[in-house]
Amino acid sequence: MLKAVSCDKFIENGQPRGKIEFKKGLNIIRGGVRGTNSIGKSTFLLILDFVFGGDDYISIATDAQNNVHEHIIKFEFEFDGDSFYFYRSTGDYQNIYLCDVEYRPEAKWTSDAYTEWLCEKYNLTLPDLTFRGAESRFIRVANRENSDARKPLASAKHEPEKQAIAGMLKLFDMYASVSERQTAYNTAKEEEKTFKNAQKYNYISVASNITEVKKNVERITELDKELTELSEKNSQGLLELTSLQKKQLRELTDKCSALIIQEADINTQLRAIRKNKDAGKKKFQADYDELIEFFPDVNIDRLYTVEGFHREITGVLKSEFRETEEKLELMNKLLRAEIEKLEKEMRSIAEIPTVSEAIITEYTRKDRERETLKKANEAFYHNDELHEVTLEQESQLNNITMSQVMRAQSDINENMKRLNDYVCGKGAKIKTPVLNVTDARHYELYTPDDTGTGTSYKGLILFDLACLELTRLPFIIHDSYLFDHIEYDRVSKIIELYDQYANKQIFVSLDREGNYSAEAQEIIKNRERLRLERGGRELFGWSWSKED
């Protein structure tokens, strides 16, 4: 259990407060009799969350970070009679330091390592359950995103309800069978997704719908007939070809086609080279008499010089054209030799020397088309099969989830009925809050025919107490805002309920105790661990909400 918390910046009337000690059962942070604000009640509860591995003290209590600046929170746990000392800085908050009794650091732990240690010490090592996954849902402090009374399982505002429901089952140790089915569902879903992605990126050809499947079947029938006819035209009978031979023919045809395309490209380049090679600059020296007649001052020698330069350039270009042409001719020769080699292999495959190249090519094309259509249809049905498997796994997952949820829901609702009778009076017949999980993705906590704010928060408190009683949950934290709209006599009974959980820890901030029953006031007095008030008794000894 948490035994103590201290900080050098905790001040009371100008002096350090010393360590704040806790006990099993109810631990109260007590505010002013008139509900004084901005004295540090919620801030201290966020510090407790910080002690238990949370980060909201850093992200939510920004006013404390800005005004107190970096500070160190020291804390002590006790398990099985042994004490453990730690500190955590608001600066280096990603790490927690294991210390000796004087808070001298002995080891640095990550947040994950620390919360795993807490999980073990608090005996929360249940399948797929983390310490924060268990506790964060039940730490209800102002400005944390889990104050929606209709969604008590949420650890954060936008957490999917499916995840919140799974979190409840983990806490109730009812998740093992769900986890197995979840794994099977995830596997089926991933296989379906992988297959769809293969279609999306054209790795797999697939018929898009049943109409296309039927058209493919018709075309396959036509191709079977055409292939039979082709084989009958050949004296060797292509139908005697084995599947391996057919595969070899397809592969050879593909290679040959690719080489023929390359050969065509090279021939195109050769034609362009030969055309450009013969197209030099025309001579202009033939007759300059007419030019001199119109331009008597023209420099004839300059014209001859320019013409000579053009001849030199043309010679260089012709040399380059000739070199390129030779290379292309060599490549063309090699390609032609390879094409002829492949054609020879196709003719000789399966020792069918009389099979014409035209028949081989046509047979291979039609056989490939048939195989492609068959695979497209097979892929269509395989896609359906994968989807059906996914749906079946999802259905089984929902069924096993709901069977476990119904057990937990029944236990919680039965417990809340007993707690509600205690708070409201059994004879009053006040309707009880109800947890209603409609399916594996949707749930709600509500009180039938009563949507009042006070009633909703009363239901939230009773829900937490029911879970505290029914599970291994070691503690809950409740801020004073939960009580603001609840009738005083019912708050008094809730305080009495809190005091009954002697083997666990409940941390509660309360104020306006004068409005509660004498029994509740006595409990508040006896369970007070920290008193906060204005005038130097704020958590850090001053209020930064005041203007200078």
Side-chain angles (χ1 to χ4, degrees):
M1 72 168 189
L2 180 63
K3 192 174 181 180
V5 171
S6 64
C7 176
D8 294 342
K9 298 296 180 73
F10 290 168
I11 303 296
E12 183 176 14
N13 296 324
Q15 300 297 320
R17 284 185 178 272
K19 66 180 180 180
I20 300 160
E21 297 185 272
F22 304 102
K23 297 179 180 179
K24 282 187 176 181
L26 179 59
N27 297 272
I28 294 177
I29 290 79
R30 188 175 175 187
V33 293
R34 285 179 280 185
T36 313
N37 296 321
S38 302
I39 56 177
K41 299 190 304 295
S42 298
T43 299
F44 184 75
L45 294 183
L46 285 175
I47 288 172
L48 293 184
D49 176 61
F50 190 65
V51 164
F52 286 114
D55 297 334
D56 284 345
Y57 179 53
I58 303 299
S59 59
I60 293 177
T62 53
D63 55 341
Q65 313 310 319
N66 293 334
N67 287 278
V68 183
H69 307 297
E70 183 175 344
H71 48 288
I72 291 174
I73 306 297
K74 303 172 184 176
F75 41 100
E76 176 186 353
F77 285 97
E78 183 181 284
F79 296 106
D80 299 322
D82 295 324
S83 291
F84 301 88
Y85 305 90
F86 298 89
Y87 78 70
R88 189 180 185 189
S89 169
T90 58
D92 180 27
Y93 66 90
Q94 297 90 347
N95 297 302
I96 292 90
Y97 291 83
L98 176 66
C99 306
D100 63 15
V101 68
E102 299 296 331
Y103 288 99
R104 292 184 291 256
E106 295 182 336
K108 181 170 72 173
W109 292 1
T110 64
S111 293
D112 287 342
Y114 172 67
T115 52
E116 285 176 12
W117 180 85
L118 286 176
C119 211
E120 180 182 348
K121 290 299 181 181
Y122 275 117
N123 193 28
L124 270 173
T125 51
L126 297 172
D128 295 298
L129 182 67
T130 65
F131 182 79
R132 293 300 302 177
E135 277 295 352
S136 185
R137 307 175 193 283
F138 300 92
I139 298 174
R140 307 197 190 275
V141 184
N143 297 317
R144 289 194 86 238
E145 294 185 340
N146 66 337
S147 60
D148 186 346
R150 295 174 301 110
K151 306 295 179 183
L153 293 171
S155 60
K157 186 175 182 179
H158 299 293
E159 181 184 35
E161 291 185 29
K162 178 182 178 181
Q163 188 173 322
I165 293 169
M168 177 185 73
L169 293 180
K170 292 173 186 178
L171 181 61
F172 276 73
D173 196 14
M174 297 178 179
Y175 192 71
S177 57
V178 175
S179 179
E180 293 176 3
R181 188 53 56 192
Q182 182 72 55
T183 299
Y185 168 68
N186 290 344
T187 300
K189 191 175 181 181
E190 185 61 29
E191 288 179 358
E192 183 182 6
K193 179 182 177 183
T194 300
F195 193 75
K196 286 184 180 295
N197 285 338
Q199 301 168 36
K200 180 179 178 182
Y201 297 108
N202 297 319
Y203 297 132
I204 297 175
S205 176
V206 60
S208 57
N209 50 51
I210 193 64
T211 301
E212 186 175 338
V213 169
K214 291 178 179 178
K215 287 182 179 179
N216 288 348
V217 170
E218 292 174 1
R219 179 57 182 156
I220 290 169
T221 302
E222 292 174 3
L223 288 167
D224 285 338
K225 182 179 179 182
E226 291 170 7
L227 288 168
T228 301
E229 291 173 353
L230 274 176
S231 63
E232 289 173 351
K233 289 179 182 178
N234 191 292
S235 60
Q236 295 295 319
L238 279 179
L239 285 179
E240 299 300 321
L241 290 174
T242 65
S243 60
L244 177 60
Q245 289 170 322
K246 293 177 184 178
K247 179 182 178 184
Q248 290 173 333
L249 279 174
R250 284 196 295 269
E251 291 175 351
L252 289 170
T253 303
D254 288 342
K255 289 180 181 178
C256 194
S257 298
L259 293 178
I260 289 172
I261 291 171
Q262 291 183 47
E263 183 184 40
D265 289 342
I266 288 175
N267 284 329
T268 300
Q269 294 179 56
L270 271 172
R271 285 193 294 272
I273 287 290
R274 287 165 181 163
K275 182 179 179 181
N276 289 329
K277 184 181 71 172
D278 297 333
K281 293 287 185 179
K282 292 183 179 179
K283 298 178 180 178
F284 349 44
Q285 65 185 18
D287 188 358
Y288 292 129
D289 291 343
E290 293 182 3
L291 183 64
I292 294 170
E293 182 180 347
F294 288 100
F295 300 98
D297 297 328
V298 69
N299 189 336
I300 295 298
D301 293 335
R302 177 61 177 165
L303 290 175
Y304 281 121
T305 302
V306 170
E307 185 180 2
F309 173 73
H310 287 158
R311 286 197 192 99
E312 292 176 5
I313 290 296
T314 301
V316 172
L317 291 174
K318 283 184 176 179
S319 175
E320 291 181 358
F321 285 146
R322 196 162 42 246
E323 183 180 344
T324 303
E325 182 182 20
E326 290 173 357
K327 289 180 180 179
L328 289 173
E329 286 175 343
L330 177 60
M331 291 174 63
N332 203 22
K333 185 178 180 181
L334 294 173
L335 281 171
R336 175 41 49 189
E338 185 65 21
I339 290 168
E340 290 175 356
K341 177 184 174 183
L342 291 174
E343 289 174 342
K344 183 178 179 180
E345 287 184 38
M346 285 191 288
R347 284 192 296 270
S348 63
I349 194 168
E351 298 181 350
I352 311 177
T354 59
V355 177
S356 71
E357 183 178 339
I359 291 180
I360 290 176
T361 301
E362 183 66 9
Y363 189 94
T364 303
R365 184 185 68 77
K366 292 181 181 294
D367 187 52
R368 183 187 295 110
E369 181 184 357
R370 180 180 63 176
E371 289 301 312
T372 299
L373 293 175
K374 286 174 66 178
K375 288 181 179 178
N377 283 0
E378 289 170 2
F380 174 83
Y381 289 114
H382 186 55
N383 192 35
D384 271 1
E385 289 169 4
L386 289 175
H387 187 59
E388 287 299 321
V389 169
T390 301
L391 291 178
E392 176 61 23
Q393 291 294 345
E394 184 177 30
S395 175
Q396 291 186 29
L397 172 61
N398 288 335
N399 289 340
I400 190 66
T401 299
M402 288 307 296
S403 69
Q404 298 296 73
V405 163
M406 290 300 102
R407 290 173 54 204
Q409 176 179 286
S410 176
D411 291 344
I412 290 170
N413 286 338
E414 183 179 338
N415 203 281
M416 286 196 296
K417 173 75 168 62
R418 179 181 59 80
L419 297 174
N420 190 69
D421 286 346
Y422 183 88
V423 169
C424 301
K426 190 171 184 179
K429 297 183 179 180
I430 301 298
K431 290 184 178 180
T432 300
V434 175
L435 176 66
N436 181 34
V437 184
T438 54
D439 56 49
R441 296 174 181 272
H442 301 92
Y443 80 97
E444 186 175 19
L445 178 70
Y446 67 96
T447 299
D449 302 317
D450 191 344
T451 59
T453 303
T455 298
S456 297
Y457 279 125
K458 180 199 70 174
L460 182 60
I461 293 168
L462 299 185
F463 174 85
D464 286 359
L465 288 174
C467 290
L468 184 66
E469 183 170 331
L470 293 168
T471 70
R472 300 185 191 183
L473 200 67
F475 66 87
I476 59 174
I477 297 177
H478 283 174
D479 202 353
S480 58
Y481 77 89
L482 294 171
F483 311 107
D484 288 345
H485 299 280
I486 303 176
E487 298 171 31
Y488 294 138
D489 59 339
R490 292 181 180 176
V491 175
S492 297
K493 301 301 287 185
I494 289 171
I495 293 170
E496 292 177 22
L497 270 181
Y498 282 146
D499 201 41
Q500 295 175 14
Y501 292 80
N503 293 321
K504 299 194 176 185
Q505 286 188 300
I506 299 177
F507 303 94
V508 177
S509 69
L510 285 169
D511 48 24
R512 302 184 180 94
E513 69 266 23
N515 294 315
Y516 306 140
S517 67
E519 292 83 359
Q521 291 186 48
E522 184 66 18
I523 291 171
I524 294 171
K525 177 182 176 182
N526 293 333
R527 306 292 183 255
E528 177 187 312
R529 310 295 179 223
L530 174 64
R531 180 66 183 267
L532 300 173
E533 187 56 274
R534 284 186 186 153
R537 298 187 68 187
E538 296 90 349
L539 179 61
F540 294 103
W542 62 292
S543 175
W544 44 80
S545 64
K546 290 185 178 181
E547 294 183 358
D548 294 336

